[in-house]
Amino acid sequence: MGDEQPEVGVIHSQKELEILYQSSDLVAVNKPHGLLVHRSIIASDASEFAVQLLRDQLGQRVYPVHRLDRKTGGVLLFALDETMNSLMQQQFADGKVDKTYLAIVRGYTPDELDIDYPLRVDERSAGSANAKVGTVQDAFTHLKTLRRTEISLPFGKHATSRYSLVELTPTTGRLHQLRKHMAHIFHPIIGDRPHGCNKQNRLFKEQFGMETMLLHAERIRFRHPLTDEEITITAPWQAEFSRMLTVLFDSPDVNANTLPA
């Protein structure tokens, strides 16, 4: 948002990325779960990357102006020239880009919660954070619960299992911030490794054949650096996220509720 092992996630097979927005200097795609943004020494198993796929698809150089974890799907924004790349990276750094995520997490979460929990810079995040290892940085996320569900799936000493669909709005951009914040409040994101619950992850693999992380970058909103136009880009759910929403919240044998507006 160390000693983390490479994350495998979902096998990526599509060659063309879904384009959500395109102008003369910006393009946004719906990044699949399991696709790396660019090459990484900690994921030597990967052979496809969003940067190369989009470059070949558009026939020109592209510049990722922010990052998403390999196992996170959703809105990924690129600049089409170096000037726009610099301007948009500055907007992200200054907190001028509104980001909204959806996640499926363990347990019943509060209706709303402000998570104000500083995160320590580790070896993995030191470069992107421009800070020394061990530095403590402010990190803030707003949580809003959209739906809760209880399904007939035994887990441990419990006869049923409870999950929540939450909307997460970070106002800082620390590495793995959302994953660490949800683990901190004991509602880990399903499929997260290493911050999540390994027993839940194994349960989802065995019961549903699900191995990805249920975190989706749903929307970004910002003002174009040159024209001042307000731009909102929304990404549809990827297939695996959509499937698990149906399994957990819309199946006939579940007790699900949607909170009042």
Side-chain angles (χ1 to χ4, degrees), residues 108-123:
Y108 279 3
T109 49
D111 289 358
E112 295 201 43
L113 180 68
D114 288 331
I115 307 171
D116 186 358
Y117 179 65
L119 298 174
R120 190 176 301 276
V121 175
D122 57 25
E123 292 181 0

Side-chain angles (χ1 to χ4, degrees), residues 10-253:
V10 170
I11 300 300
H12 176 69
S13 60
Q14 72 181 71
K15 295 300 181 182
E16 285 209 345
L17 298 170
E18 177 188 2
I19 293 179
L20 304 171
Y21 170 88
Q22 187 170 4
S23 66
S24 61
D25 45 25
L26 290 169
V27 62
V29 303
N30 191 1
K31 186 185 88 64
H33 298 276
L35 179 66
L36 280 169
V37 175
H38 45 63
R39 293 184 185 275
S40 171
I41 59 174
I42 66 168
S44 58
D45 63 301
S47 60
E48 291 183 334
F49 312 91
V51 171
Q52 283 82 2
L53 287 175
L54 187 60
R55 177 200 62 196
D56 295 345
Q57 188 171 330
L58 299 180
Q60 67 176 102
R61 188 172 181 180
V62 297
Y63 306 79
V65 300
H66 66 124
R67 55 197 290 173
L68 291 177
D69 290 344
R70 181 177 185 175
K71 292 176 71 177
T72 304
V75 180
L76 181 62
L77 185 65
F78 293 82
L80 297 179
D81 60 64
E82 293 184 1
T83 298
M84 183 55 62
N85 181 40
S86 177
L87 291 172
M88 283 307 308
Q89 286 202 22
Q90 191 62 52
Q91 283 213 27
F92 274 93
D94 293 342
K96 294 182 178 179
V97 179
D98 296 328
K99 297 166 288 183
T100 304
Y101 293 76
L102 295 179
I104 298 175
V105 304
R106 184 185 70 187
Y108 279 3
T109 49
D111 289 358
E112 295 201 43
L113 180 68
D114 288 331
I115 307 171
D116 186 358
Y117 179 65
L119 298 174
R120 190 176 301 276
V121 175
D122 57 25
E123 292 181 0
R124 177 183 173 121
S125 59
S128 61
N130 294 318
K132 293 182 179 179
V133 173
T135 301
V136 176
Q137 297 181 315
D138 291 339
F140 183 88
T141 303
H142 180 73
L143 175 152
K144 179 181 179 181
T145 300
L146 303 178
R147 297 190 71 181
R148 301 187 183 100
T149 186
E150 183 171 7
I151 65 174
S152 300
L153 180 63
F155 180 71
K157 63 181 180 180
H158 303 286
T160 60
S161 296
R162 292 179 171 183
Y163 303 99
S164 299
L165 173 66
V166 298
E167 180 183 89
L168 301 173
T169 308
T171 55
T172 51
R174 311 307 179 197
L175 185 67
H176 292 181
Q177 175 176 318
L178 300 181
R179 300 164 63 174
K180 292 177 179 179
H181 272 181
M182 294 312 297
H184 172 68
I185 65 170
F186 304 105
H187 293 288
I189 298 172
I190 301 300
D192 184 7
R193 180 177 59 85
H195 309 294
C197 173
N198 289 334
K199 292 181 179 179
Q200 281 286 331
N201 296 345
R202 186 162 55 249
L203 181 70
F204 269 68
K205 181 178 180 180
E206 294 171 352
Q207 294 294 320
F208 308 120
M210 201 286 297
E211 297 186 64
T212 192
M213 181 172 64
L214 297 178
L215 178 62
H216 175 70
E218 184 181 47
R219 183 174 61 251
I220 61 172
R221 180 181 293 115
F222 60 95
R223 289 197 172 275
H224 192 285
L226 300 179
T227 67
D228 201 39
E229 173 192 3
E230 184 176 279
I231 297 172
T232 300
I233 305 171
T234 302
W237 304 322
Q238 295 287 340
E240 193 70 343
F241 195 94
S242 181
R243 179 173 77 91
M244 294 315 303
L245 281 174
T246 299
V247 167
L248 296 175
F249 296 93
D250 295 326
S251 296
D253 61 341

